[in-house]
Amino acid sequence: MASMKWTRFFLPTTKESPADAVVASHRLMIRAGLIRQVVAGAYTYLPLGHRVLRKIEAIVREEMNAAGAIELNMPAMHPIDWWEQTGRVAAMGDVLLRLAGRGEDWRSRTVLGPTHEEVITEIARAYLNSYKQLPINLYQIQTKFRGEARPKSGVLRTREFLMKDAYSFHAAKEGPGGLDETYQRMYEAYCAIFSRCGLPYIAVEADSGPIGGDASHEFMVPTDAGEDFLAATDDGSYAANLERAEVAPIADRADGTNAPLREVHTPGLSTIEDVSKFLRCQPRQMIKTIIYEAEGAPLAALVRGDHEVNEAKLARAAKVKSVTQAGPELIRKTTGAEVGFAGPVGLAARVIVDQAVAVLHDGVTGANKTDYHLTGVNPGRDFPTTQSADIRIAVEGDLARNGRPLTFRKCIEVGHVFKLGTKYSVAMGATFLDENGKAQPLIMGCYGIGLNRIMAAAIEACHDENGIRWPMSIAPYQVVICALDMRVEEVTSLADSLHDQLQAAGIDTLLDDRDARPGFKFHDADLIGFPIRVTVGKRGLSEGVVEIQSRRTGELRKVAPDAVVRTVQTLVQAEMMPAQPVGIPTG
Ligand code: ATP
Ligand code: MG
């Protein structure tokens, strides 16, 4: 077997970390010689980084195959026409990267795929014509391109990255062979993938647009380096991303006074802060009235002064596709007042009331008259609360729908499973003939995992002040042999032999054969984070021992040279994470 020696490998560790590297994974990946930036948002994976990525890829591929998905490969270049058919040229905006060409030449009609729904739906349209061919789940591991506005945090968010994306096709949503069944299998495959990669992950409910229900989950790794927030109960029975997190319904309007309605002069005071100061009331006593436009008509959303509207929840409650904040003109037309004085009393628009507003007593709100507010506003008495729902963004301490308080954590999204329904098949005319010979749109699911993000998230979750602590399953090498006295024949020949024996036992081993001081070698070994370090030195050999140290626990063992392979094998096996399938929580 070819021996892998440090001096013959390409492993440029460095002391420098770039000034813009704020998160640990970015800093450590550069210092450990795993990646090198080419331009903002695109990195070279140097040989060591490449090995990690290939190991993650192998785990992903194994679990996808085991779950019955079938691999194919689609190009990164797509015709823009297909993206126009699904309306996503507009929806994606600058995220969709287009080639620059003259006029209508082929370049101007070509995009670099940020995802592959259009390409796979065209394949389905061409080949999946009968219910007998369903269900089927096709996947690839392919480079994606996205014009991310601010690529940052190293490889956590880049403009070019590797994604495993799978797409399933079904004749029905429920029942054997239905979308729900494959969704469940993908959910479980994702749990197996992330646990095998050694990631501490949490599956959370994510916003799923109009389909609702359990139609989307994200897989999150809790870490401060993340840009997302998850909201979860302490017992883990409910977890959702912040946009999605539902707040428990409030049973009844509590008893309280019902003061008379009064108009007060609030000249030039149009913000919650100014008005609450001026009227000496708490923001939580105020009713914020935000005017939206939905399907061409004004729509007023009422939330407490200390709360924010959740537009996805609002759209769902109003049963519209989307809502957009109204401009000054529509606000003036709807309220008859300048911006900042809107209120629900006598408002000629559809009103959706957040459940926390519906139970208020003696609220304060705009009077629909410039420079005036109302006090003593009582929901039900002064404006209708017939359309009351959870339309606000959850805040920490809110009760989840199972009655337990929510706490928030920063996190990274590493994977996403989604019930698409018929959005793409309808847009692109991908139909199949059902048992009655009737043409129906294919029902679809899609499932994505970011491979580079797994790598960075693993580092965020597993590192210390000295460097990375790779999970055994995805470490670039499982073992480093530090040969301390390279000029002593007894040392080099034993180190060589241990390297060959470990390799032969199927354990990835790198031999640090550099003629350098022990401290220097140990420093690099800790920085790169090999899970096991085997140290062969003159002094140890004089006592007849070799040292074996675990990077994770720091535990040090001294064993005889002929016990090294056995001991290392046991350690490797103990640290390989088994796949742990987990069901979808229903809290
Ligand atoms: P984000 O919200 O972080 O931008 P997304 O929801 O747009 O991600 P998806 O379209 O769901 O991402 O893509 C599936 C997976 O691809 C994500 O779960 C993530 O792991 C990975 N991914 C997405 N965007 C990037 C990126 N810019 N760089 C690296 N990985 C990414
Ligand atoms: Mg996502």
Side-chain angles (χ1 to χ4, degrees):
M1 182 178 305
S3 93
M4 194 38 77
K5 295 185 170 171
W6 197 302
T7 54
R8 308 309 315 149
F9 196 54
F10 184 75
L11 217 175
T13 57
T14 158
K15 282 205 166 52
E16 278 135 64
S17 55
D20 63 338
V22 285
V23 299
S25 60
H26 188 188
R27 220 167 42 233
L28 291 170
M29 285 173 90
I30 288 184
R31 286 186 49 211
L34 300 169
I35 55 166
R36 179 168 179 80
Q37 181 175 308
V38 176
V39 287
Y43 289 84
T44 293
Y45 284 76
L46 299 168
L48 209 62
H50 183 68
R51 288 181 68 89
V52 176
L53 212 46
R54 291 287 83 85
K55 288 198 174 181
I56 295 169
E57 187 176 321
I59 291 173
V60 170
R61 184 172 279 121
E62 258 176 54
E63 293 298 334
M64 290 305 290
N65 292 344
I70 303 166
E71 188 167 2
L72 81 173
N73 188 266
M74 296 177 269
M77 278 192 200
H78 309 174
I80 199 167
D81 308 45
W82 295 355
W83 287 80
E84 279 165 353
Q85 282 174 34
T86 60
R88 288 217 284 181
V89 175
M92 289 261 167
D94 287 343
V95 168
L96 187 63
L97 295 179
R98 308 168 63 154
L99 300 190
R102 281 196 204 121
E104 285 295 284
D105 95 340
W106 69 272
R107 289 179 189 82
S108 349
R109 307 298 303 163
T110 303
V111 303
L112 296 177
T115 170
H116 278 73
E117 280 82 5
E118 280 75 2
V119 181
I120 200 81
T121 304
E122 194 277 337
I123 290 171
R125 180 172 66 191
Y127 298 112
L128 299 178
N129 304 314
S130 158
Y131 73 93
K132 290 181 191 148
Q133 295 167 286
L134 305 174
I136 192 156
N137 188 5
L138 299 168
Y139 82 96
Q140 65 172 350
I141 296 174
Q142 165 66 304
T143 302
K144 303 285 190 247
F145 295 89
R146 291 187 183 182
E148 299 277 358
R150 282 172 302 280
K152 58 173 180 187
S153 310
V155 305
L156 282 174
R157 181 174 300 284
T158 52
R159 292 184 175 142
E160 178 177 336
F161 59 96
L162 209 51
M163 195 199 286
K164 186 288 300 169
D165 46 328
Y167 307 88
S168 66
F169 297 89
H170 310 267
K173 190 174 176 298
E174 282 130 29
L179 170 61
D180 294 351
E181 188 183 83
T182 299
Y183 185 85
Q184 176 76 30
R185 278 182 94 174
M186 283 296 101
Y187 183 101
E188 285 167 10
Y190 275 38
C191 294
I193 288 166
F194 298 125
S195 60
R196 281 185 65 188
C197 288
L199 287 183
Y201 71 93
I202 301 177
V204 306
E205 290 181 13
D207 198 54
S208 50
I211 299 185
D214 60 354
S216 172
H217 286 87
E218 286 169 350
F219 290 78
M220 301 293 205
V221 175
T223 155
D224 284 340
E227 295 175 40
D228 290 329
F229 280 93
L230 68 84
T233 56
D234 52 358
D235 64 345
S237 58
Y238 178 81
N241 76 16
L242 184 51
E243 294 106 76
R244 166 79 186 181
E246 290 169 16
V247 182
I250 299 166
D252 271 316
R253 189 158 179 252
D255 288 337
T257 64
N258 285 324
L261 200 59
R262 228 162 47 87
E263 192 177 273
V264 290
H265 193 210
T266 50
L269 305 176
S270 61
T271 65
I272 295 288
E273 202 194 339
D274 289 349
V275 176
S276 63
K277 251 190 221 146
F278 182 73
L279 295 178
R280 291 206 184 85
C281 66
Q282 296 293 322
R284 54 177 298 134
Q285 201 57 38
M286 297 192 56
I287 302 169
K288 239 189 323 202
T289 307
I290 318 240
I291 311 290
Y292 284 89
E293 192 178 340
E295 291 172 357
L299 172 73
L302 306 191
V303 292
R304 249 169 39 186
D306 58 334
H307 288 155
E308 300 297 332
V309 175
N310 178 321
E311 294 180 0
K313 287 184 182 177
L314 174 64
R316 223 176 300 135
K319 298 197 168 61
V320 295
K321 268 214 182 105
S322 66
V323 297
T324 44
Q325 281 216 24
E329 202 162 316
L330 181 63
I331 295 177
R332 269 183 234 121
K333 212 176 110 201
T334 310
T335 66
E338 282 305 317
V339 177
F341 299 94
V345 183
L347 187 68
R350 186 176 171 201
V351 176
I352 311 253
V353 184
D354 183 64
Q355 44 187 8
V357 167
V359 298
L360 272 184
H361 287 273
D362 302 342
V364 175
T365 192
N368 296 323
K369 184 173 165 189
T370 304
D371 290 341
Y372 285 89
H373 277 79
L374 298 175
T375 62
V377 179
N378 284 281
R381 185 193 72 184
D382 301 324
F383 64 89
T385 55
T386 39
Q387 294 206 53
S388 167
D390 169 24
I391 58 163
R392 67 182 174 87
I393 298 173
V395 294
E396 224 161 345
D398 273 339
L399 300 185
R401 59 175 185 233
N402 63 12
R404 290 175 167 272
L406 289 170
T407 49
F408 292 2
R409 255 184 284 173
K410 261 185 139 183
C411 59
I412 300 171
E413 176 195 326
V414 286
H416 195 170
V417 293
F418 201 105
K419 292 182 187 172
L420 285 174
T422 56
K423 178 176 168 188
Y424 294 93
S425 51
V426 166
M428 295 184 72
T431 59
F432 70 99
L433 294 179
D434 68 13
E435 284 177 46
N436 306 315
K438 197 168 162 259
Q440 305 272 11
L442 288 157
I443 296 171
M444 295 172 60
C446 72
Y447 320 93
I449 286 185
L451 276 70
N452 322 70
R453 250 194 214 176
I454 290 184
M455 182 169 170
I459 297 175
E460 293 298 341
C462 313
H463 72 273
D464 60 19
E465 64 283 2
N466 299 321
I468 303 169
R469 292 194 298 194
W470 284 113
M472 186 63 80
S473 55
I474 61 172
Y477 287 95
Q478 296 163 315
V479 175
V480 64
I481 300 177
C482 287
L484 294 190
D485 306 280
M486 282 306 296
R487 291 168 205 177
V488 177
E489 212 282 320
E490 203 194 350
V491 168
T492 55
S493 67
L494 178 61
D496 274 342
S497 147
L498 287 176
H499 168 273
D500 293 351
Q501 291 176 55
L502 286 167
Q503 287 281 70
I507 293 167
D508 286 332
T509 307
L510 181 70
L511 172 56
D512 185 353
D513 60 340
R514 293 172 300 172
D515 189 6
R517 283 177 294 105
F520 184 79
K521 292 190 171 199
F522 294 162
H523 178 273
D524 271 357
D526 281 352
L527 172 63
I528 294 169
F530 305 100
I532 297 173
R533 192 184 82 198
V534 174
T535 309
V536 183
K538 202 167 53 182
R539 197 184 317 150
L541 285 188
S542 70
E543 295 163 24
V545 295
V546 167
E547 283 181 7
I548 299 175
Q549 187 161 32
S550 157
R551 176 73 177 91
R552 197 170 58 84
T553 64
E555 196 187 333
L556 185 87
R557 290 158 218 251
K558 296 185 179 188
V559 303
D562 62 0
V564 170
V565 175
R566 209 175 342 114
T567 310
V568 169
Q569 264 176 326
T570 311
L571 284 173
V572 168
Q573 264 155 28
E575 284 195 23
M576 279 292 207
M577 296 299 286
Q580 290 165 330
V582 186
I584 300 176
T586 52

